[in-house]
């Protein structure tokens, strides 16, 4: 008997096992308070409890050490990490910033498979070229695949399959934010060089080289805006096109001692390049002959003008004004999503305390309640009231405020933990909550300042906090 | 020379190549209008242009056919699909609904690697048990991995590594929404049975069997709320525990002819079970001896009470009130994210027209502008003005309204396209925009009704549209 013949409601009433009825409205009401005592390990991975990979000598950079200590990541396999709740929150915020910028320039979001067939990579001759960096596998029918580290072939085939792009649809800008795979010879530095990582990759299709260059600059400018929003100083350098190929390439580098890229920059003009992109070991600027200085950087973005390298061999073309098929000019544009997170921490943090780009901090505000047994314990509900009032009055802080309810710990100990994790604002219900009206201590992590404010004052103070 | 010695601003001014300066403020202003003429193929994959996989006989279900025709998916490899922009938008909405429910019951979001080492799967003896369903590969050092179809081993090891969970932290509920891999013997029906797919998987840890059962019901209730919000009728049936193992299991099934699961349901009591969970071919209800009826369903959710199967062998324990280590009681809970999308389309659509759960529709509103050459073309800007006014007046519709500016096509043709794609609301600037005041035709796809409204009326009409 076909299920379809039952009216839905009756069907459920008659047959459903354990069916619980609930309001079917999508609820946006106040959620429960976020209590640190219930968090999965933001402060549990202390120095004295560091597990295997955490303790070993491979722990050679600050961001990896801090992220392990604070319970932001946990090693799984070589070069593969569990991203724990704080990291997931920061990553989701970064993805929102990236989505906003990519879509503001016309980017359309797609999601391509991780498994790409060997046959496609053989067409571009990269099946052999990438050698051991490709993770390769066979399915149950003995068909060969790789785990895609990048998707030039896949996206070009996807566009070629449409076979009916009009010049009016160009530039076509497709992007995704997905997990990528690379069998690194030396995975290290935590999320800075892993074997599984998240990347934003955009692929663009244009009518001509001139149009492709305009698109190239459009995307590069969007990258600039992203790093500016994050408050990260960067250098855009001329780069080698490597195994991706193409005619022109730039990298977005974050200057850092730990960086694995060597950059050469001219003190007199705007020239900057990755050493890999230079012919031999030059000491003078090829543009103005000024002296070149060397520095190190973490590559967080890479842009390529590809020309027709992939579109020609895979047949990605468009119809021009005369309805004639023309091979599209391509560009590709990567941002290392998980790498940007780790690089930000590497660059902004002190030796002991994580500092985030304000927009990416997993939670914006931490409220520390009075210690159990203290005089202030009498007004311990003031911390909870402040929590609820903040959420009600400032909707953008919904989900952004945590309450450190571990009242068996001193305020000093909890403040140290909060400093360690890098909440931009820490609000302490300390001695002065006994005053009338009660006064809270607000510590601003990004400028080190402390102010004393009433509840009303705290609300005003946090009114303009930006949340991605 | 260390880069660090430069003050940041100066550094950029001196050395940056092509540095463009922009406002560093995070901008939330009006984005450009979303024009259908610029979309990547929402309407490009017409019947007459179906490519290879689209045309073949494997096209045996409605949702796959409709999703291919409408340009929502594109086949890549066997059982692997490109998710195109409409699908990505619907999926992101579904993930928001799921996140909201999982977090409302205390779920904490993590992200675990796809690569899991063979050694971990050998501890649970599932390395052999899963046979050909596991995609297996070796890295450059000849170490064996699989592409995880599920993460019981990984999450249990993750929790075991903490070694310091307190009973106060339980129930601990960790979940993720990530891509999973399964080398299906017969991938088919598009996103209903693929080899790469998105799944939400939650893993819970409790102090006792009783507490674990409470958590089990808590998560099951959250699943119920998710399907109710989506307006999908479901059946919760007793299920086989399969290769996951454990002591108890239920499936959430969406009744559908195309479903691959056979369900037995009692007409007299609440009993319902997957045939796989029954001992032999019973025809009478084991609870009330009423007659069992058979139906087919698409499995979209699966819950398991695992007991200590994984926690015991991997050492995931907590400290009880006497500070004694006790093995945690576990549960695991899956939702097929991409499968829910396809199943919704399978169930809600007509033969020709896609229908979405209202909350998941990729865009809520489509505005159709007057045809070129028609009398109404004189007031063509009314459609654009309506677009801008909608976005300004109803912030929840930001990014949710598209303008079908393909004015070379008749309104009828574009309305057919809009019906095909399933926008919940289609607003047509037809003949009556010449009236004073101008009148728009609003077609509501989910109840088939049409109303005629002024711009003010359209605003009122759409004021309460819910967007995930």
């Amino acid at each position: 008997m076909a299920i379809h013949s039952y009216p839905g409601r009756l069907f459920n009433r008659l047959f459903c096992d354990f069916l619980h009825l609930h309001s079917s409205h999508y609820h946006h009401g106040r959620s429960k308070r976020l209590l640190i005592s219930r968090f999965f390990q933001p402060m549990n991975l202390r120095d004295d409890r560091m597990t295997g990979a955490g303790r070993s000598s491979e722990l050679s950079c600050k961001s990896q050490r801090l992220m392990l200590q604070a319970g932001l990541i946990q090693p799984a396999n070589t070069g593969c990490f569990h991203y724990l709740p704080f990291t997931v929150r920061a990553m989701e915020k970064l993805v929102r910033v990236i989505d906003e910028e990519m879509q503001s320039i016309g980017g359309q979001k797609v999601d391509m498979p991780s498994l790409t067939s060997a046959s496609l990579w053989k067409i571009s001759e990269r099946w052999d070229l990438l050698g051991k960096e490709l993770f390769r596998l066979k399915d149950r029918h003995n068909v060969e695949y790789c785990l895609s580290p990048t998707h030039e072939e896949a996206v070009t085939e996807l566009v070629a399959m449409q076979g009916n792009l009009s010049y009016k649809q160009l530039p076509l800008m497709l992007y995704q934010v997905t997990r990528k795979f690379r069998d690194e010879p030396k995975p290290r530095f935590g999320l800075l060089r892993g074997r599984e990582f998240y990347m934003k990759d955009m692929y663009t299709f244009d009518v001509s080289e001139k149009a492709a260059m305009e698109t190239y600059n459009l995307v590069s400018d969007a990258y600039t805006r992203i790093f500016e929003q994050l408050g990260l100083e960067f250098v855009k350098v001329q780069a080698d096109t490597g195994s991706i190929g193409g005619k022109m390439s730039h990298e977005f580098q974050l200057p850092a001692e730990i960086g694995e890229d060597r950059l050469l920059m001219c003190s007199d003009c705007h020239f900057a390049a990755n050493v890999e992109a230079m012919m031999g070991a030059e000491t003078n600027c090829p543009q103005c002959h000024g002296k070149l200085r060397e520095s190190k950087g973490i590559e967080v973005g890479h842009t390529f003008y590809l020309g027709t390298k992939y579109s020609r061999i895979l047949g990605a073309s468009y119809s021009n004004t005369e309805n004639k098929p023309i091979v599209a000019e391509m560009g590709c544009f990567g941002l290392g999503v998980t790498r940007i997170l780790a690089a930000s921490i590497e660059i902004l943090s002190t030796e002991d305390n994580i500092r985030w780009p304000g927009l990416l901090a997993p939670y914006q505000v931490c409220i520390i309640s009075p210690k159990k047994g203290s005089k202030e314990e009498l007004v311990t509900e003031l911390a909870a009231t402040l929590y609820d009032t903040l959420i009600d009055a400032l909707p953008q802080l919904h989900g952004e405020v945590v309450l450190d309810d571990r009242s068996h710990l001193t305020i000093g100990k909890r403040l140290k933990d909060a400093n360690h994790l890098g909440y931009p604002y820490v609000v302490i219900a300390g001695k002065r909550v006994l005053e009338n009206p009660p006064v809270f201590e607000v510590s601003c992590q990004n400028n080190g300042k402390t102010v004393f404010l009433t509840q009303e004052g705290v609300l005003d103070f946090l009114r303009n906090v930006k949340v991605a």
Side-chain angles (χ1 to χ4, degrees), chain A:
Chain A
M1 180 172 198
I3 274 299
H4 289 323
S5 61
Y6 289 96
R9 281 258 145 247
L10 179 67
F11 178 85
N12 256 346
R13 218 174 307 138
L14 287 176
F15 299 126
C16 291
D17 177 25
F18 290 104
L19 181 71
H20 298 274
L21 292 173
H22 288 269
S23 154
S24 62
H25 296 294
Y26 194 52
H27 56 91
H28 275 295
R30 181 190 294 169
S31 351
K32 284 178 230 161
R33 294 181 196 129
L34 299 166
L35 304 178
I36 289 201
S37 62
R38 302 301 312 278
F39 277 14
F40 183 57
Q41 74 174 76
M43 303 306 302
N44 287 339
L45 276 174
R46 305 196 186 288
D47 301 352
D48 55 334
R49 289 182 185 134
M50 297 277 281
T51 50
R55 231 185 282 111
S56 84
S57 60
E58 77 177 63
L59 249 194
S60 42
C61 84
K62 186 171 66 178
S63 57
Q64 182 177 14
R65 176 173 52 79
L66 288 172
M67 292 181 84
L68 283 166
Q69 285 173 351
L72 303 188
I73 54 174
Q74 176 73 33
N77 315 307
T78 313
C80 300
F81 290 84
H82 299 291
Y83 307 145
L84 300 184
F86 273 53
T87 301
V88 170
R89 283 187 63 87
M91 184 163 79
E92 290 185 342
K93 290 180 179 192
L94 178 54
V95 171
R96 281 197 283 273
V97 172
I98 293 172
D99 276 342
E100 175 102 6
E101 288 298 337
M102 292 300 105
Q103 290 171 21
S104 81
I105 57 171
Q108 300 182 60
K109 199 170 186 181
V110 297
D111 193 319
M112 296 182 268
S114 294
L115 291 168
T116 310
S117 73
S119 57
L120 189 57
W121 283 77
K122 283 172 181 168
I123 296 176
S124 67
E125 298 179 350
R126 292 210 294 176
W127 183 255
D128 292 328
L129 186 67
L130 268 82
K132 290 192 167 176
E133 295 223 341
L134 272 189
F135 280 110
R136 295 157 203 260
L137 70 161
K138 289 181 181 172
D139 71 4
R140 62 164 70 219
H141 306 294
N142 228 23
V143 178
E144 269 189 310
Y145 295 89
C146 71
L147 295 178
S148 309
T150 177
H151 284 76
E152 285 77 16
E153 288 84 354
V155 77
T156 311
E157 184 189 52
L158 169 63
V159 169
M161 275 165 129
Q162 308 315 312
N164 59 350
L165 282 183
S166 152
Y167 69 95
K168 293 180 199 160
Q169 284 179 282
L170 306 192
L172 173 63
M173 309 167 83
L174 300 177
Y175 81 101
Q176 62 179 354
V177 179
T178 55
R179 210 183 285 225
K180 306 296 192 293
F181 300 83
R182 191 175 295 156
D183 197 354
E184 287 283 350
K186 283 189 192 167
R188 56 176 171 167
F189 298 154
L191 303 195
L192 287 178
R193 186 169 294 280
R195 300 203 295 174
E196 264 196 72
F197 50 93
Y198 277 89
M199 194 164 94
K200 187 284 302 176
D201 41 334
M202 177 180 260
Y203 305 90
T204 63
F205 298 83
D206 266 290
V207 293
S208 65
E209 176 164 345
K210 179 165 172 286
M213 287 311 306
E214 281 165 18
T215 299
Y216 188 93
N217 290 329
L218 196 66
V219 183
S220 300
D221 290 352
Y223 280 18
T224 296
R225 288 194 298 274
I226 289 167
F227 292 114
E228 287 183 351
Q229 283 178 54
L230 301 181
L232 296 171
E233 299 288 345
F234 65 94
V235 203
K236 186 177 160 191
V237 302
Q238 294 180 20
D240 186 25
T241 57
S243 67
I244 302 276
K247 299 182 172 180
M248 185 173 78
S249 175
H250 289 87
E251 290 164 352
F252 286 74
Q253 295 271 358
L254 301 183
E257 272 306 305
I258 198 76
E260 300 190 77
D261 285 284
R262 289 169 56 207
L263 316 177
L264 290 174
M265 288 167 286
C266 178
S267 349
D268 298 338
C269 76
H270 284 252
F271 180 85
N274 191 313
V275 166
E276 294 169 3
M278 305 284 283
M279 312 293 168
E282 298 174 53
T283 52
N284 290 315
C285 173
Q287 282 174 9
C288 76
H289 304 287
K291 203 162 164 51
L292 290 176
R293 297 171 184 286
E294 191 174 320
S295 161
K296 283 180 177 165
I298 302 171
E299 181 201 332
V300 285
H302 206 150
T303 59
F304 297 85
Y305 165 50
L306 295 171
T308 58
K309 175 179 171 179
Y310 297 93
S311 46
R312 192 172 22 79
I313 54 175
L314 289 159
S317 55
Y318 66 95
S319 302
N320 71 2
T321 49
E322 283 112 47
N323 213 21
K324 224 182 84 179
I326 310 282
V327 174
E329 294 278 334
M330 288 178 61
C332 77
F333 305 88
L335 278 181
V337 174
T338 34
R339 189 182 280 178
I340 289 173
L341 288 184
S344 308
I345 290 175
E346 183 71 33
I347 288 161
L348 302 175
S349 301
T350 68
E351 280 305 310
D352 293 321
N353 294 324
I354 290 174
R355 289 298 173 268
W356 303 87
L359 272 182
L360 304 188
Y363 296 96
Q364 291 292 331
V365 182
C366 174
I367 300 177
I368 300 181
S369 66
K371 178 167 179 355
K372 198 183 274 180
S374 69
K375 266 186 284 185
E376 301 82 66
E377 193 188 3
L378 291 170
V379 292
T380 217
E381 77 284 359
L382 285 176
T385 306
L386 175 66
Y387 185 106
D388 296 342
T389 310
L390 268 183
I391 305 292
D392 283 347
L394 308 177
Q396 86 272 23
L397 292 184
H398 183 89
E400 292 292 329
V401 184
V402 303
L403 181 61
D404 194 341
D405 60 329
R406 299 172 303 160
S407 57
H408 59 287
L409 300 177
T410 63
I411 283 185
K413 174 78 194 74
R414 284 179 283 162
L415 179 57
K416 197 179 157 201
D417 283 352
N419 275 323
H420 195 44
L421 278 164
Y423 303 98
Y425 304 94
V426 182
V427 184
I428 302 162
K431 295 208 184 309
R432 294 186 57 187
V433 287
L434 292 173
E435 294 180 13
N436 186 5
V439 171
F440 297 91
E441 181 180 343
V442 182
S443 158
C444 309
Q445 308 244 345
N446 288 329
N447 64 16
K449 288 190 182 151
T450 296
V451 286
F452 289 88
L453 298 167
T454 61
Q455 175 168 299
E456 205 48 49
V458 174
L459 286 183
D460 276 344
F461 191 74
L462 298 176
R463 199 172 296 281
N464 296 315
V465 169
K466 285 200 175 66
V467 178

